[in-house]
Amino acid sequence: MNKVYSILLAFVALFTIGKSAIAQQQPNILWVLTDDHRYDAIRAFNKMLTGNEISKLGYVESPNTDRLTKEGTTFINTYCQATGCAPSRASMHYGRYPFRSGVYQFEYHNNNTENSYPHLPEAMEKLGYQTVHFGKLGIRLRTIKNGKAVKENMYQTDIDSRILADEGLTAWGKKWGPKEVNGQKLKEQIKTSVEYFIDEDGKYYYISEKLEKENPQFAGMAQEAYDKYDFMRKHSPDHPETVFSPGILAGVSSRPAGKTRDGYYTSTFIDFLNNQNENFLVGTKTYKGVDTSKPLFCHIGFDFPHTPVLPPADYRARFQEHTYKVPELDDAEWKKMPEQLKKQVKKSYSNDFSEEEKQKMIQDYYAFCAYGDALVGESVDAFVAYSEKMKQEWMVVFVCGDHGWKLNDHGAVSKFTPWDVDSHNPIVVVSSDKKAFPAGKVVRNFTEFVDIAPTILGAAGAKVNTKEYAYLDGMDMAKVVSKEAPVRDYIVGESHHVTGPRAYIRTKDYCFSMQTRPNTKRGVNMEWALNASYKDLDPALYYTKNDPDEKNNLAFDKEYEKVAKKMKEKLINIVLGDNRAEVNWGKGSNAIGTEVFKSNFAPGAHDYKLKL
């Protein structure tokens, strides 16, 4: 009996040691994502792409990201799958193209369809990871319970921007239905979301025309904040600027560096790492710190440099010393611009801003990027220090924006278009495993945002080439480095927000985009583009080799007719005909629709090959 018991104990001990050894082989992983981040704000990226560290617009600084490129591998020709926050972030978390997942814009959606598969943090949890998120997530995922769509928690621990805002740990935020302002009760509660700013002394400035009208004691509050923080809000000839106009394109933070919204993402993440197997406070709320018995998967979603563009005062002052070359929209470009892209430009038109306004928005944008770069550096350093203290392998995945941002490029601000400035977003992977991701290496082959999930899962030990992970559309970027992955001749994507449904395909020398349908009604007339006239497709073709700024639309130029036709046919077959999925999710947050509409007239069209 004792002998049997001893054998059992030995077996359990061996099993436990084996599990521990496997866990130690799994690296801690930090995934850092910024928002609306132009690649030209990073000096190292500019050097790789143009040979000059400085942006074509002027001075930028990014010492921490530059350091990451020296320590790891840069995938310089990475492109996003949708040029809007929510669908782009969904493509990263699901590892799937919008036309496969059915998430095309800012819609609420559920995980209860036959087309639903595990998202990245869910898959990482199954691999034994502790999953945690800080900051902006931006994915409107729901799950259906008792016939209702309720919020789905993607990460085991989620310390998001709303929690920090509720605790007063942001310089800027939005609050639903405030009942009082700076200790004074409102006569009428505002039953909407209200923008606010907090100064160093904890004073709130709410920006609400309704609040001021219904509560005269607060009249002039928005104007006071507007003047104090030197705001420049979005405006156009049709919508003159007021203190209540949406979208702040320039200004100064109401709090110093480190005490901003993004600053608290970093400091809270560091608190999490420093409280090993212990609880810690975020304002008045209690959270569990890092669990040292598990490998760590952490995602930080920074808000910078998304509007409101409000760099801390010291960063702002430094960048105000520089004068920038402003991109301009000319008549020749406007005349040839497709109607869908004109629609986006008109909505965010900035070409008629004064020279002073244009300089101000560019200076503050790049200043905000520089501040964010410092926070990225702090976050990465803390993560690497924790991993090395624990004698664990580690990997950092830095993604430069969920998409880009225009600074009067094509005459507009904002994003939502297939132009390079909106869709080109390099990735840097730094790892303790220098064989998988060599230091200082630059990969120039195409990569895509759908590659992020299989890359992280592959590093975590998942066999991403097996049937279990067949739903993933991307490639493990470690295989791209080792040249075991197919070489892409092109990248593809599709965006629906603002412009309306529009798909794009990009090769080394060309970019082609077109309207995919006249409306966004899911499951209706999905193959419209097959029978539409070429003119109705509202096409754009740019020969990027000679026209890197994509100003001269050649879609109707006879000389490029064959190229346009080939790219059009390939794009239609991929996004409309190779296992396309659409779901009528439901109205607003009540996303209880589960019927999947399919279009699959060209299976296998997405083979990465396109010879022009």
Side-chain angles (χ1 to χ4, degrees):
M1 187 75 176
N2 286 339
K3 188 176 181 182
V4 172
Y5 185 68
S6 297
I7 291 170
L8 276 171
L9 280 176
F11 177 78
V12 169
L14 282 170
F15 178 74
T16 305
I17 292 169
K19 276 189 76 176
S20 176
I22 290 169
Q24 291 304 306
Q25 292 170 8
Q26 293 177 293
N28 294 328
I29 299 173
L30 171 63
W31 172 21
V32 177
L33 173 64
T34 58
D35 197 340
D36 288 11
H37 201 171
R38 292 168 63 105
Y39 65 80
D40 72 346
I42 308 298
R43 285 190 171 211
F45 296 165
N46 290 327
K47 183 74 172 177
M48 293 170 195
L49 290 166
T50 69
N52 188 349
E53 287 187 353
I54 300 303
S55 163
K56 287 188 289 186
L57 276 62
Y59 177 81
V60 295
E61 61 181 60
S62 52
N64 291 284
T65 310
D66 296 344
R67 170 170 57 93
L68 295 182
T69 66
K70 293 176 183 176
E71 295 172 352
T73 298
T74 303
F75 298 85
I76 193 63
N77 287 316
T78 306
Y79 284 81
C80 69
Q81 265 56 72
T83 50
C85 298
S88 181
R89 289 161 185 265
S91 72
M92 290 183 253
H93 272 81
Y94 299 154
R96 305 176 72 204
Y97 295 107
F99 60 86
R100 296 265 174 80
S101 71
V103 182
Y104 292 91
Q105 52 189 94
F106 287 67
E107 69 262 50
Y108 288 91
H109 55 281
N110 65 64
N111 58 3
N112 304 93
T113 75
E114 54 86 15
N115 192 47
S116 300
Y117 295 95
H119 51 68
L120 176 56
E122 182 181 359
M124 292 294 282
E125 186 177 345
K126 288 180 181 177
L127 291 169
Y129 275 77
Q130 178 188 13
T131 66
V132 58
H133 166 256
F134 296 83
K136 178 174 178 176
L137 185 59
I139 302 173
R140 299 182 172 188
L141 177 62
R142 296 291 184 265
T143 193
I144 300 173
K145 290 183 180 179
N146 300 319
K148 293 183 179 180
V150 299
K151 185 179 179 181
E152 173 79 347
N153 292 321
M154 298 183 75
Y155 290 81
Q156 293 167 320
T157 301
D158 191 344
I159 305 175
D160 67 12
S161 53
R162 290 183 182 180
I163 289 167
L164 294 174
D166 288 345
E167 293 296 320
L169 300 178
T170 57
W172 167 85
K174 290 183 179 180
K175 186 173 287 188
W176 180 267
K179 296 179 181 178
E180 57 88 26
V181 176
N182 298 325
Q184 296 185 58
K185 286 188 176 181
L186 300 180
K187 293 180 180 178
E188 293 286 340
Q189 182 184 358
I190 307 300
K191 296 181 180 179
T192 59
S193 181
V194 182
E195 181 181 42
Y196 67 82
F197 299 87
I198 315 173
D199 69 14
E200 292 181 69
D201 299 321
K203 180 181 177 180
Y204 279 77
Y205 297 87
Y206 282 94
I207 314 300
S208 168
E209 194 168 7
K210 181 179 175 64
L211 184 150
E212 292 191 18
K213 282 183 178 179
E214 294 180 356
N215 300 271
Q217 72 270 36
F218 299 117
M221 177 180 284
Q223 183 70 56
E224 184 181 352
Y226 183 89
D227 295 336
K228 185 174 182 179
Y229 302 117
D230 194 26
F231 294 155
M232 184 180 88
R233 291 183 173 272
K234 279 180 68 175
H235 56 278
S236 67
D238 295 332
H239 298 92
E241 183 177 7
T242 75
V243 297
F244 302 109
S245 298
I248 295 175
L249 299 175
V252 63
S253 173
S254 59
R255 283 184 171 176
K259 300 298 182 182
T260 66
R261 190 179 177 104
D262 291 300
Y264 278 109
Y265 296 163
T266 291
S267 61
T268 304
F269 171 58
I270 294 172
D271 286 346
F272 166 79
L273 293 175
N274 288 339
N275 285 277
Q276 295 148 28
N277 306 309
E278 295 180 354
N279 291 340
F280 72 104
L281 289 175
V282 178
T284 61
K285 297 185 182 298
T286 302
Y287 288 91
K288 290 181 180 179
V290 65
D291 181 348
T292 58
S293 71
K294 294 181 178 182
L296 174 65
F297 173 51
C298 182
H299 174 43
I300 304 179
F302 284 109
D303 280 290
F304 86 88
H306 193 290
T307 55
V309 180
L310 299 172
D314 51 344
Y315 281 87
R316 189 184 203 218
R318 188 161 74 251
F319 277 77
Q320 284 179 331
E321 296 174 4
H322 299 279
T323 301
Y324 289 86
K325 181 180 179 181
V326 182
E328 298 291 350
L329 172 67
D330 58 38
D331 292 340
E333 179 185 0
W334 181 254
K335 187 177 180 180
K336 288 187 172 184
M337 189 181 292
E339 290 304 314
Q340 276 190 311
L341 302 188
K342 280 184 177 180
K343 180 180 178 181
Q344 192 281 322
V345 170
K346 288 175 182 176
K347 278 185 174 290
S348 300
Y349 196 67
S350 57
N351 206 51
D352 62 352
F353 283 8
S354 69
E355 181 63 24
E356 181 184 356
E357 288 175 323
K358 290 174 183 175
Q359 287 295 327
K360 185 176 176 180
M361 75 175 184
I362 295 173
Q363 289 166 342
D364 287 353
Y365 177 89
Y366 286 130
F368 205 15
C369 291
Y371 168 54
D373 176 79
L375 297 177
V376 169
E378 287 179 41
S379 302
V380 169
D381 288 347
F383 170 76
V384 172
Y386 165 78
S387 298
E388 292 184 346
K389 173 187 173 184
M390 302 302 295
K391 295 181 170 56
Q392 294 172 326
E393 299 297 313
W394 55 268
M395 184 171 83
V396 175
V397 180
F398 170 78
V399 182
C400 181
D402 45 7
H403 43 69
W405 181 259
K406 292 185 285 296
L407 291 170
N408 206 54
D409 307 81
H410 309 285
V413 292
S414 192
K415 52 266 186 171
F416 303 122
T417 75
W419 285 315
D420 190 79
V421 70
D422 284 355
S423 59
H424 191 172
N425 298 90
I427 292 175
V428 183
V429 181
V430 188
S431 175
S432 53
D433 182 356
K434 298 303 179 188
K435 185 178 179 182
F437 296 99
K441 186 175 181 63
V442 179
V443 174
R444 296 190 181 274
N445 289 345
F446 279 133
T447 41
E448 299 180 287
F449 275 11
V450 291
D451 296 340
I452 293 167
T455 300
I456 290 173
L457 287 167
K463 305 295 184 183
V464 294
N465 291 327
T466 62
K467 187 177 179 181
E468 181 182 358
Y469 297 99
Y471 62 88
L472 294 170
D473 287 326
M475 305 178 189
D476 181 345
M477 291 191 287
K479 303 295 184 185
V480 176
V481 173
S482 63
K483 299 184 179 179
E484 297 172 71
V487 175
R488 291 177 169 104
D489 287 339
Y490 60 83
I491 62 91
V492 290
E494 184 174 4
S495 286
H496 283 204
H497 205 67
V498 177
T499 62
R502 192 172 187 88
Y504 49 95
I505 182 167
R506 181 181 293 274
T507 67
K508 184 170 69 75
D509 292 330
Y510 294 95
C511 180
F512 179 85
S513 67
M514 61 171 216
Q515 180 169 301
T516 51
R517 68 202 308 162
N519 56 58
T520 59
K521 292 179 181 178
R522 306 291 185 245
V524 178
N525 206 6
M526 293 169 66
E527 298 175 8
W528 170 84
L530 277 174
N531 302 310
S533 70
Y534 185 60
K535 183 179 179 181
D536 285 344
L537 293 178
D538 194 31
L541 175 68
Y542 299 100
Y543 184 30
T544 56
K545 186 176 181 179
N546 290 349
D547 180 24
D549 296 327
E550 300 174 343
K551 291 187 171 188
N552 184 23
N553 180 12
L554 301 168
F556 294 96
D557 190 313
K558 286 290 183 183
E559 185 181 345
Y560 295 91
E561 187 175 11
K562 288 183 180 179
V563 171
K565 182 180 179 182
K566 231 177 176 182
M567 295 186 79
K568 180 200 78 169
E569 290 175 353
K570 187 71 172 178
L571 183 57
I572 286 176
N573 284 338
I574 294 171
V575 301
L576 299 181
D578 192 359
N579 200 25
R580 184 180 184 83
E582 296 185 7
V583 183
N584 182 10
W585 298 108
K587 190 175 182 181
S589 60
N590 190 33
I592 59 173
T594 57
E595 183 181 4
V596 181
F597 302 94
K598 293 276 191 175
S599 175
N600 201 30
F601 59 80
H606 186 27
D607 58 3
Y608 311 116
K609 302 301 180 187
L610 178 59
K611 300 301 179 186
L612 298 173

